[in-house]
Amino acid sequence: MEKWIEINRLKKNVDDFQLGPIDLSFEAGTITAIVGNNGAGKSTLLKVLMRLAVQNDGEIKLFGQLIDSEAEGWKKRIAYLPQTLLGCDSFNGNQLRELVSKWYPTWDQPLFEQLVEMYQIPLSKKYGKLSQGVQQKLNLALTLARDAEILILDEPTAHMDIPSKQMLLDVIVEWMDRGDKLVIISSHQAEDIRKLADYVVVMKEGQLLGKFEKEELTGQYKQYWMEDSLPNEPIPGVIERKNERILVSKCAEETESYLASNQLKWLRAKNLEIEEIITYMLIGKAS
Ligand SMILES: Nc1ncnc2c1ncn2[C@@H]1O[C@H](COP(=O)(O)OP(=O)(O)OP(=O)(O)O)[C@@H](O)[C@H]1O
């Protein structure tokens, strides 16, 4: 698959916070969820990607070209939804649509109208007077309707009610069917990751713990309930023993081969949910 975004040796310092060095790439046709603790640097990474903050070191290539702050043409090929939109309070939705749509040659008015209708967004009300959730819906309608090739969403569902979240997930899945697209979504919502992500990027304290294929991860992490007590020696792949008979592995293949060759039988095994796996990674047990 074609690499649309390449990040090499990227570093960014914000006061005493250090992001990176980060090496990461994103391919066309994929959806990647960026996850991590609060303050891990997810938003900072996305801001540097959009050149809203300049890196201290390293380079970013978009569509194979180094991004350059002078020539801003590349910005029309990316639709970015920040966590907070500043300077919009005195404009209403219609005015914001006019401002944004002029900028994007690919503006999709029917899609904008569909989202406004779906979310019942009052376009004549000033942005500053809308609830946080409705502001977020309007931001999303303004971002998705740009129909850019790359869509970057920084916590898009944080303030949304449950049905609205579900609707958005469906919209993004449909949106991917429009052709070659790339979506990066920073999120703390397990549902976003479960339903959307092909890949999961895990960040902790400014560092990249890795980029993983979601299906591969959920196939590798398993919990086992054993028939008998386990020996005390280390077991390949095991990251936690909950008691003498329950263990958790991050590499089912290695663990199962050890158990089989030692005639240790398990009564039941279950794959971990993606949020359990991420928790193991972030609390350090999986490393
Ligand atoms: N404008 C800023 N001024 C000062 N420090 C900042 C600023 N933006 C981010 N930081 C610091 O950079 C670090 C990373 O923050 P960032 O917002 O990127 O994390 P995050 O992973 O997106 O967190 P969250 O999940 O809470 O949104 C934090 O220590 C934060 O305090």
Side-chain angles (χ1 to χ4, degrees):
M1 272 181 296
E2 203 181 334
K3 280 184 190 165
W4 276 1
I5 301 179
E6 275 182 81
I7 297 171
N8 299 314
R9 306 174 311 279
L10 185 84
K11 285 190 193 167
K12 171 72 187 166
N13 303 330
V14 186
D15 301 331
D16 57 353
F17 171 78
Q18 264 199 321
L19 176 74
I22 294 205
D23 287 278
L24 192 58
S25 60
F26 301 91
E27 283 94 33
T30 61
I31 303 183
T32 303
I34 303 189
V35 304
N37 305 96
N38 292 126
K42 303 177 295 294
S43 299
T44 306
L45 175 65
L46 299 181
K47 280 182 204 157
V48 174
L49 197 53
M50 291 307 298
R51 288 198 86 71
L52 299 171
V54 179
Q55 69 262 41
N56 296 95
D57 203 1
E59 57 172 39
I60 301 171
K61 282 185 185 169
L62 282 174
F63 304 104
Q65 304 278 315
L66 276 179
I67 53 172
D68 171 357
S69 50
E70 304 292 309
E72 296 212 320
W74 58 270
K75 284 200 171 170
K76 293 193 184 357
R77 302 180 72 181
I78 302 190
Y80 165 64
L81 175 84
Q83 241 174 46
T84 42
L85 214 56
L86 299 173
C88 295
D89 282 4
S90 56
F91 295 98
N92 69 27
N94 285 315
Q95 291 165 326
L96 289 170
R97 180 196 53 82
E98 246 177 64
L99 285 172
V100 175
S101 61
K102 269 191 210 148
W103 233 80
Y104 285 85
T106 48
W107 181 259
D108 184 337
Q109 183 62 20
L111 176 60
F112 180 75
E113 285 166 13
Q114 183 198 328
L115 293 165
V116 166
E117 166 85 26
M118 181 177 95
Y119 281 140
Q120 299 284 296
I121 304 168
L123 290 180
S124 51
K125 214 169 167 179
K126 284 199 171 141
Y127 186 85
K129 303 271 179 206
L130 300 173
S131 75
Q132 266 190 315
V134 178
Q135 284 181 348
Q136 202 161 33
K137 289 172 184 172
L138 176 56
N139 298 346
L140 266 164
L142 290 165
T143 307
L144 278 163
R146 294 172 201 179
D147 201 15
E149 290 142 290
I150 300 178
L151 180 62
I152 298 182
L153 306 172
D154 196 352
E155 293 194 39
T157 56
H159 303 290
M160 278 192 194
D161 55 53
I162 294 168
S164 305
K165 276 184 199 174
Q166 290 300 320
M167 284 188 239
L168 175 67
L169 299 182
D170 292 339
V171 168
I172 294 179
V173 170
E174 269 175 42
W175 190 82
M176 283 301 285
D177 287 338
R178 293 180 153 223
D180 265 358
K181 299 282 184 193
L182 162 57
V183 177
I184 301 173
I185 175 169
S186 148
S187 179
H188 294 293
Q189 316 284 325
E191 185 67 7
D192 295 353
I193 306 162
R194 231 180 284 141
K195 194 155 175 187
L196 289 179
D198 303 304
Y199 293 91
V200 182
V201 163
V202 186
M203 292 182 66
K204 185 179 181 180
E205 293 162 11
Q207 301 299 310
L208 176 72
L209 295 189
K211 179 178 173 183
F212 308 92
E213 211 170 322
K214 185 185 68 186
E215 296 294 322
E216 230 171 78
L217 271 187
T218 46
Q220 281 170 356
Y221 280 71
K222 276 191 182 176
Q223 177 160 324
Y224 299 86
W225 285 261
M226 304 302 299
E227 200 171 82
D228 296 306
S229 297
L230 288 158
N232 246 341
E233 66 191 51
I235 299 178
V238 169
I239 48 175
E240 187 178 18
R241 291 183 185 214
K242 296 200 171 182
N243 63 33
E244 283 173 356
R245 295 188 191 196
I246 300 179
L247 52 84
V248 178
S249 167
K250 69 168 186 175
C251 187
E253 227 176 79
E254 277 184 22
T255 303
E256 287 177 20
S257 132
Y258 168 91
L259 296 175
S261 57
N262 288 279
Q263 283 86 47
L264 294 163
K265 292 200 178 95
W266 63 91
L267 298 169
R268 191 161 87 83
K270 75 151 189 158
N271 292 91
L272 296 198
E273 297 289 345
I274 191 71
E275 59 268 38
E276 296 175 291
I277 298 172
I278 292 167
T279 305
Y280 273 113
M281 287 183 175
L282 293 179
I283 59 175
K285 287 191 176 171
S287 49

